[in-house]
Amino acid sequence: MDTRILTTDGLQALVDALHARGFEVMGPVVRDGAIAFGRVRALTDLPAGWGDEQEPGRYRLHRRDDPLLFAFAAGVQSAKPLFFPAQEVLWRVRAGDGEASPTVELTPVAVTAGEAPVAVLGVRSCDLAAIGIQDTVLLRRTYGDAAYALRREGTFVVAVTCSHPADTCFCVSMGTGPRPGAGPGPAAPYDLAMTEVSDELGHRFVVEVGSDRGADLLAELVARGVDAAEARPADRVAADRVVAEATARMGRRLDTDGLKELLYAAAESPVWDEVASRCLACGNCTQVCPTCFCTDVRDVTDLTGGLVERERVWDSCFDAEYSYIHGGSVRASTRSRYRQWLTHKLAAWEDQFGMSGCVGCGRCITWCPAAIDLTAEVAALRDEGGRA
Amino acid sequence: MTARPKLAVWKFASCDGCQLTLLNCEDELVPLAGEIEIAYFPEATRAVVEGPYDVSLVEGSITTPADLERIHQVRAVSRRLITIGACATSGGIQALRNFADVAEFRSVVYAHPEYLETLDRSTPVAAHVTVDFELRGCPVDRHQLLELLSAELAGRRPRIPTYSVCVECKRRGAVCVMVAGGAPCLGPVTQAGCGALCPAYSRGCYGCFGPQDTPNTRSEADRLRALGRDEVEVLRMFRTFNAAAEPFRQESRRHEAARQHPGQEVAP
Ligand code: SF4
Ligand code: SF4
Ligand code: SF4
Ligand code: SF4
């Protein structure tokens, strides 16, 4: 199926069609003063006319004087929790009653418990690239993550071109945006990708197809008589302009040249001491990062001991217990934890997975309560390296 | 069937909120009573089973000479001694006296201060006897309390994280009140446990669970100042339920000093 043009009514028809196919549609909604993922039934659930301002340690929404539905940058969280929930039961055993043998629920408990498959609407390019990275980390290694695999497989992804990057964004530096499909990882996985355009030809969405499933859904809309004309050259030009303008407005830059070597050589840099004096070791950066995958796995029992569950929860390299091995924490200081975070993300990740662990979404900058900016820390390390 | 372990619940200087948290575990009280013999718990029952006890839960701080003696007796009759709540683990809100002159308080508050026997400072239980586990919170969280008791019964390590409230805040998908609202929040320096209750209701964290394992209170204070809080406000934020927990104590002292000697760095 070729690139098509949807009006807002057409987009609503797309959402309806996804619901009709049994998907729970999740997309950007305004919640508690920020853009977060929430249920989308009607387009009125989307943040029409809302924009965001982001800078280190600060996030604010503001009203816009246009009807655009996706005119903001990365929200509080990426799509990560939809596939890789913050808390998950891996397996569960119940003691048998009397002579009965114990029941074992090998999981994914939650997935098999009948969660509806999810369609994600409005995944921006950085987050799409992050899904590609997580697929590599969680699926393409010797032992894949069963729960993640199930959730990912069932998911329908409608990506969106990032038209309004924030001051904290640097996807261009990381080669992950602003157009969906860019990315260092495996082909960025979307079913449909749209670019929101508003000009003299009207408010519309230029929709590209990324999978058979996506083509099938669009074909269904066309067959039902939904206004979904083939894209004209003018539509493609308009979409390209959105991309070019967003690229020009990128708020930040990260010089990735020789970054791995720089970080590996900087293990004893005084820059780590300086950043550690500000770092709260709170873990927010890792919790909002769309690629961080570290977890803690523990067994819990109930009062009677009749129920045992193995639970997996998000952890963070900023947690002292995260590096606890017999006798104590390997990374006892905040200095060593910040160094771990940056070095893993931007250097060791390459050796481990053949790509950077950062997609340039800027969340760790915005949501750091201490306003620490990794691009500034890398620049400081470069300066330091230059001086040494 | 082996004998159920005997549980005792003791009260020192406290508001009873932590004991009430145990009583509030309504659905779990029956299974709990099946696994543990509630041998001494005056807040719940007048029946007393003689010690020694397998597990003692101790609420409250040490503020009187009599309590100082009694805590040693409690220790002597307890195989495992677990303190519950901010009072028992850091001295509680009543440790505000540690920053002031108790004799003066006494004469201002009581008509007959001479009837009163009290110590200069409110101190945590661990300052006097060996404590096997300290459960934080003002009050303690019922899920954590049940997890702790379940772990005791199973003989395993309890799953009580020592990282920040922020981790729980993000895990539950709350929007950061500090970043998105400019509200003062102690979450980054406070230990998790409550499930980020206040931030989930768009309020900053009050620090009920005391300092996290690696608290950078100085940087936190700098951020609070950058958000427009003055020295006194920052001082008061650190001086609440866990005022006497060492990192919070030092931080509030720093701001007290800064207020008294502006522009000078004073040792806490
Ligand atoms: S390191 Fe920061 S900017 Fe990079 S992907 Fe993670 S949260 Fe986004
Ligand atoms: S080690 Fe740290 S930076 Fe690396 S994935 Fe884990 S939490 Fe993220
Ligand atoms: S860099 Fe920022 S968000 Fe990350 S642990 Fe340090 S203070 Fe928290
Ligand atoms: S609201 Fe408070 S606890 Fe939550 S992330 Fe922000 S600073 Fe941390």
Side-chain angles (χ1 to χ4, degrees):
Chain A
M1 165 102 10
D2 327 306
T3 301
R4 296 276 166 164
I5 303 300
L6 288 182
T7 59
T8 43
D9 286 347
L11 187 61
Q12 178 67 59
L14 185 125
V15 170
D16 293 342
L18 285 167
H19 277 127
R21 291 185 176 202
F23 289 104
E24 177 83 82
V25 180
M26 302 293 286
V29 299
V30 172
R31 175 162 60 78
D32 296 332
I35 309 268
F37 268 108
R39 294 211 165 91
V40 175
R41 303 218 146 254
L43 293 196
T44 47
D45 293 329
L46 296 170
W50 285 102
D52 59 7
E53 280 160 47
Q54 303 192 34
E55 55 187 88
R58 189 171 187 278
Y59 181 104
R60 292 293 184 278
L61 287 182
H62 60 82
R63 293 305 300 188
R64 302 171 49 86
D65 53 10
D66 57 46
L68 296 179
L69 298 175
F70 298 98
F72 40 81
V76 256
Q77 270 288 3
S78 66
K80 179 171 87 170
L82 297 176
F83 313 121
F84 191 60
Q87 196 152 354
E88 173 152 56
V89 176
L90 297 179
W91 53 249
R92 174 182 293 150
V93 180
R94 279 179 222 281
D97 216 358
E99 293 293 293
S101 45
T103 45
V104 182
E105 281 175 66
L106 280 177
T107 38
V109 171
V111 178
T112 48
E115 279 175 15
V118 170
V120 217
L121 182 67
V123 178
R124 43 207 58 248
S125 41
C126 55
D127 290 348
L128 193 66
I131 295 176
I133 293 175
Q134 285 236 313
D135 284 356
T136 304
V137 173
L138 296 169
L139 296 180
R140 304 208 179 92
R141 287 195 289 171
T142 315
Y143 300 102
D145 182 310
Y148 182 87
L150 273 174
R151 290 200 178 90
R152 273 288 289 121
E153 211 177 75
T155 305
F156 194 100
V157 176
V158 183
V160 67
T161 299
C162 212
S163 55
H164 292 73
D167 180 46
T168 43
C169 291
F170 55 103
C171 64
V172 168
S173 298
M174 305 316 290
T176 58
R179 174 170 256 162
Y190 62 79
D191 296 293
L192 295 172
M194 54 188 184
T195 304
E196 182 173 31
V197 173
S198 182
D199 57 18
E200 58 287 352
L201 296 175
H203 182 199
R204 63 202 189 282
F205 299 86
V206 182
V207 184
E208 289 161 75
V209 170
S211 73
D212 292 346
R213 242 178 6 165
D216 188 56
L217 190 76
L218 264 195
E220 181 194 319
L221 295 185
V222 173
R224 283 196 355 231
V226 172
D227 180 6
E230 273 182 42
R232 300 150 292 188
D235 296 316
R236 291 172 197 274
V237 169
D240 288 347
R241 195 183 314 124
V242 168
V243 173
E245 282 173 8
T247 306
R249 274 206 301 262
M250 216 34 56
R252 270 177 164 62
R253 216 182 134 258
L254 180 69
D255 180 359
T256 55
D257 193 33
L259 192 49
K260 184 174 102 175
E261 293 71 26
L262 175 82
L263 281 159
Y264 282 169
E268 299 306 330
S269 169
V271 167
W272 306 122
D273 295 306
E274 196 285 321
V275 67
S277 73
R278 285 175 287 133
C279 176
L280 299 157
C282 63
N284 271 301
C285 45
T286 58
Q287 305 292 295
V288 295
C289 180
T291 69
C292 273
F293 55 80
C294 285
T295 52
D296 179 29
V297 174
R298 290 206 195 164
D299 295 347
V300 288
T301 49
D302 71 352
L303 280 170
T304 64
L307 175 73
V308 181
E309 285 181 338
R310 175 156 295 178
E311 241 179 31
R312 177 174 73 182
V313 291
W314 287 358
D315 204 344
S316 162
C317 51
F318 281 94
D319 170 15
E321 283 191 1
Y322 173 80
S323 67
Y324 182 93
I325 54 172
H326 176 77
S329 197
V330 174
R331 287 186 283 269
S333 66
T334 301
R335 172 187 191 273
S336 62
R337 289 181 221 161
Y338 190 88
R339 183 178 61 192
Q340 159 67 23
W341 141 259
L342 210 65
T343 309
H344 186 216
K345 202 99 289 206
L346 300 175
W349 208 290
E350 285 192 20
D351 287 332
Q352 215 179 347
F353 306 112
M355 61 183 94
S356 172
C358 173
V359 297
C361 72
R363 285 191 181 84
C364 59
I365 305 172
T366 299
W367 299 99
C368 171
I372 293 170
D373 169 357
L374 85 171
T375 66
E377 297 312 319
V378 167
L381 286 166
R382 277 198 197 279
D383 280 358
E384 185 62 31
R387 262 193 313 238
Chain B
M1 194 182 151
T2 50
R4 290 169 302 162
K6 279 158 78 177
L7 175 80
V9 184
W10 310 89
K11 175 188 160 63
F12 287 80
S14 61
C15 77
D16 290 40
C18 291
Q19 296 185 65
L20 278 177
T21 304
L22 181 58
L23 283 177
N24 276 344
C25 297
E26 290 162 6
D27 293 344
E28 292 85 3
L29 275 180
V30 173
L32 179 66
E35 302 299 320
I36 279 187
E37 180 179 8
I38 298 176
Y40 178 79
F41 189 4
E43 173 121 350
T45 167
R46 264 182 289 185
V48 173
V49 180
E50 291 286 304
Y53 305 99
D54 293 292
V55 181
S56 275
L57 298 179
V58 179
E59 176 196 83
S61 69
I62 309 304
T63 56
T64 66
D67 280 353
L68 190 51
E69 246 181 79
R70 190 161 61 98
I71 192 61
H72 284 96
Q73 292 159 8
V74 169
R75 178 69 267 191
V77 297
S78 310
R79 190 172 62 78
R80 300 264 298 158
L81 190 158
I82 294 171
T83 55
I84 54 170
C87 301
T89 58
S90 79
I93 189 83
Q94 59 274 30
L96 287 176
R97 71 165 70 175
N98 302 8
F99 300 90
D101 181 358
V102 172
E104 194 187 321
F105 276 174
R106 211 163 29 179
S107 62
V108 174
V109 175
Y110 296 97
H112 289 283
E114 65 277 15
Y115 293 159
L116 231 64
E117 257 201 302
T118 187
L119 298 169
D120 281 355
R121 283 154 32 94
S122 168
T123 44
V125 172
H128 308 285
V129 298
T130 305
V131 171
D132 296 298
F133 194 89
E134 293 187 309
L135 189 65
R136 305 277 196 87
C138 186
V140 293
D141 172 81
R142 68 185 276 272
H143 297 108
Q144 285 207 326
L145 184 58
L146 287 167
E147 162 60 10
L148 182 59
L149 291 171
S150 302
E152 279 294 322
L153 285 165
R156 62 175 171 88
R157 255 183 90 186
R159 183 177 187 160
I160 309 282
T162 56
Y163 48 57
S164 73
V165 172
C166 299
V167 174
E168 289 188 315
C169 189
K170 283 289 177 294
R171 201 177 279 165
R172 76 183 283 164
V175 174
C176 177
V177 301
M178 192 117 135
V179 169
C185 178
L186 283 182
V189 293
T190 301
Q191 180 170 305
C194 59
L197 195 58
C198 290
Y201 290 91
S202 302
R203 298 293 302 260
C205 163
Y206 293 93
C208 309
F209 282 63
Q212 59 127 316
D213 58 35
T214 319
N216 189 345
T217 54
R218 190 186 279 247
S219 174
E220 169 79 15
D222 286 347
R223 292 304 295 165
L224 295 170
R225 298 281 276 125
L227 290 176
R229 307 289 132 174
D230 64 23
E231 293 287 4
V232 179
E233 287 169 311
V234 174
L235 183 161
R236 290 204 176 128
M237 283 185 73
F238 282 102
R239 212 168 267 185
T240 62
F241 323 106
N242 289 286
E246 196 49 22
F248 287 7
R249 188 194 71 80
Q250 286 190 18
E251 196 55 45
S252 73
R253 272 281 190 231
R254 203 174 279 137
H255 297 278
E256 194 163 53
R259 198 168 47 127
Q260 286 157 0
H261 315 277
Q264 254 175 287
E265 180 76 8
V266 186

